[in-house]
Amino acid sequence: MDHLPNNSPKVIGYWMSEKKSQKLNWSEFAKVCRVHGFELVKLDLNRSLEDQGPFNVIIHKLTDIIAQALKGDIKSIRMLSYVEDYIKSHPEVVIIDPIENVRKLLDRYLSYRVVHDSDLDKIDVFTPPFVELLSTDVDMNLLMLKEAGVTFPFVCKPSVANGTDCHKMAIVFNERGLKDCQPPCVAHSFVNHNAVLYKLFIVGDEYHIVERPSLKNFYADPDRPTIHFHSHDVSKSDSSSSLSVLDENEADCYSQESRKADPDILRQIVSIIREELGMSLLGVDVVTENNTGRHAVIDINPYPGYDGYPDFFESLVRCIEKCLSEKEMRNSKSDQDQDSGFETADSSDEKKRSPPLVGPGKNHERYL
């Protein structure tokens, strides 16, 4: 396919559901793109992308389609193949974000494992002990929980982090509640955090911190029944759930200041997770443990909602421009290496490992 003329607008091919597009007011993003010299074109996933391009950038929210393809849905597999075939044929195109990386994040157990194995422990940030439960056998699940160090109470989340059911969760307080776990699911120890959640909305090198209500403190209780809840009812900006109200004795014990996360640690969390996952658009949920003040990462989402993110479209354009610039530099360097007939250390390393789409850089912090 012919490349775009140098003087023509750079073309951003995009795909997301109509619902997501309306929620983000994507028509407004098209105006922002035009101001910055980009043309925004929606992809038709019912046919080859070769007939729709060329594209400089592809940005997507394909999580629903990826999830359905993983379940064997023929239509979703075909739609995804059109995108992956185009990407394979056009390595010069910037992809936000790599489909394989997004696919990994849809598996909660795998995403927890990636975070657990990262360098977060070097800054004293942890993931709660976790395990994936695949059976309804209560005795087997109890053994697996003990071996993984998961303690009561624990949170039970669906293994697939996509779709309406992925927000249906449970807090299990005792062995009797194990029957309420619905596999496949991931169970992790509940971290008491005084009902305050920090959402880190990441856009390339920039990020924004939004403080949200969260679950109140809970403790193991041999008689307490399992609590089932929908995370959107608890942790949205306009949520007013009774599950988010601290008990009176605890509300008096903890000052507002004691609940605050450390902005510098949050900045380092963003840097480490971005480098580990090789992605530009991420949402990271962080809490601070009430009795130690340590920070814990309890969830990660590809392309979150960005509710409360100021000037999101401007940040997104800056992210796209930086991705393009870095991609062009890598492509230019690769061409020079091939012309010289010698393989440099950098080009050799790049063949050994696929670098993150965007390398770690200085984070621009906007703290509420």
Side-chain angles (χ1 to χ4, degrees):
M1 178 179 292
D2 295 335
H3 290 283
L4 289 162
N6 290 332
N7 60 348
S8 65
K10 293 186 183 297
V11 179
I12 301 172
Y14 80 94
W15 193 92
M16 64 180 62
S17 68
E18 191 60 34
K19 180 180 178 182
K20 182 77 172 180
S21 179
Q22 291 178 2
K23 182 180 179 182
L24 288 173
N25 194 14
W26 209 243
S27 59
E28 188 64 30
F29 182 53
K31 298 177 184 177
V32 175
C33 285
R34 284 195 291 272
V35 170
H36 289 270
F38 292 102
E39 180 185 355
L40 195 62
V41 177
K42 184 163 187 177
L43 304 176
D44 179 356
L45 299 188
N46 292 309
R47 60 192 180 95
S48 170
L49 301 194
E50 290 290 352
D51 303 328
Q52 304 176 52
F55 303 106
N56 300 95
V57 179
I58 290 178
I59 183 170
H60 66 87
K61 172 75 172 178
L62 288 167
T63 47
D64 289 345
I65 293 174
I66 294 172
Q68 289 302 313
L70 288 172
K71 295 178 182 178
D73 181 73
I74 300 300
K75 181 179 179 181
S76 297
I77 291 172
R78 183 175 65 251
M79 295 169 80
L80 198 57
S81 71
Y82 286 140
V83 180
E84 293 184 309
D85 288 347
Y86 186 86
I87 292 171
K88 186 176 181 180
S89 299
H90 298 274
E92 75 281 359
V93 176
V94 168
I95 311 300
I96 302 176
D97 275 313
I99 289 176
E100 185 55 36
N101 296 9
V102 174
R103 188 181 282 120
K104 290 176 182 177
L105 275 191
L106 295 185
D107 182 328
R108 271 203 172 103
Y109 178 78
L110 185 56
S111 66
Y112 276 38
R113 174 57 59 190
V114 169
V115 173
H116 178 271
D117 294 342
S118 71
D119 289 336
L120 286 175
D121 62 318
K122 294 181 180 178
I123 58 171
D124 198 29
V125 173
F126 70 101
T127 51
F130 63 94
V131 68
E132 185 169 38
L133 304 178
L134 302 173
S135 169
T136 56
D137 186 319
V138 171
D139 293 332
M140 179 186 296
N141 288 344
L142 181 59
L143 179 62
M144 293 184 68
L145 289 163
K146 289 180 177 178
E147 288 180 345
V150 178
T151 55
F152 293 107
F154 64 79
V155 182
C156 213
K157 305 176 179 180
S159 291
V160 178
N162 186 70
T164 55
D165 288 344
C166 78
H167 301 289
K168 295 178 180 178
M169 304 180 184
I171 305 171
V172 179
F173 294 91
N174 47 58
E175 292 185 14
R176 287 195 304 171
L178 291 178
K179 67 182 185 305
D180 299 318
C181 297
Q182 298 181 7
C185 60
V186 174
H188 72 72
S189 298
F190 183 77
V191 177
N192 281 328
H193 53 281
N194 302 328
V196 178
L197 173 72
Y198 297 92
K199 282 196 168 287
L200 311 183
F201 290 132
I202 301 171
V203 185
D205 286 344
E206 302 177 28
Y207 67 97
H208 183 67
I209 305 164
V210 176
E211 189 175 310
R212 292 273 180 84
S214 185
L215 293 168
K216 66 180 183 178
N217 300 331
F218 289 109
Y219 304 90
D221 186 332
D223 301 315
R224 189 163 192 172
T226 297
I227 294 177
H228 297 272
F229 67 98
H230 194 290
S231 61
H232 281 179
D233 295 336
V234 175
S235 295
K236 284 291 187 182
S237 56
D238 57 352
S239 297
S240 57
S241 171
S242 60
L243 294 176
S244 300
V245 181
L246 286 175
D247 295 340
E248 286 187 15
N249 61 321
E250 292 192 310
D252 294 336
C253 292
Y254 300 109
S255 68
Q256 287 293 326
E257 197 58 36
S258 70
R259 303 178 192 176
K260 292 294 182 184
D262 184 329
D264 186 59
I265 291 180
L266 296 182
R267 176 187 60 79
Q268 293 180 73
I269 289 173
V270 169
S271 179
I272 290 171
I273 286 182
R274 278 202 60 234
E275 184 171 10
E276 191 70 34
L277 296 177
M279 294 174 63
S280 297
L281 303 179
L282 289 164
V284 183
D285 290 354
V286 178
V287 298
T288 56
E289 193 172 33
N290 67 344
N291 59 345
T292 67
R294 296 176 68 207
H295 297 63
V297 173
I298 60 170
D299 219 345
I300 302 180
N301 305 293
Y303 208 140
Y306 291 103
D307 294 337
Y309 194 113
D311 300 320
F312 168 64
F313 290 148
E314 292 292 341
S315 287
L316 183 54
V317 167
R318 286 193 292 271
C319 170
I320 290 169
E321 289 174 335
K322 186 162 190 261
C323 290
L324 271 170
S325 175
E326 292 184 347
K327 187 82 167 183
E328 288 168 357
M329 287 178 62
R330 286 200 297 269
N331 290 343
S332 175
K333 189 175 188 309
S334 177
D335 290 342
Q336 291 174 6
D337 293 341
Q338 290 177 7
D339 290 343
S340 70
F342 290 93
E343 193 174 84
T344 66
D346 288 342
S347 64
S348 178
D349 287 344
E350 194 151 326
K351 289 181 179 179
K352 293 175 186 174
R353 57 176 173 79
S354 298
L357 184 61
V358 184
K362 183 176 180 180
N363 297 299
H364 303 283
E365 180 179 321
R366 300 190 182 99
Y367 189 73
L368 283 179

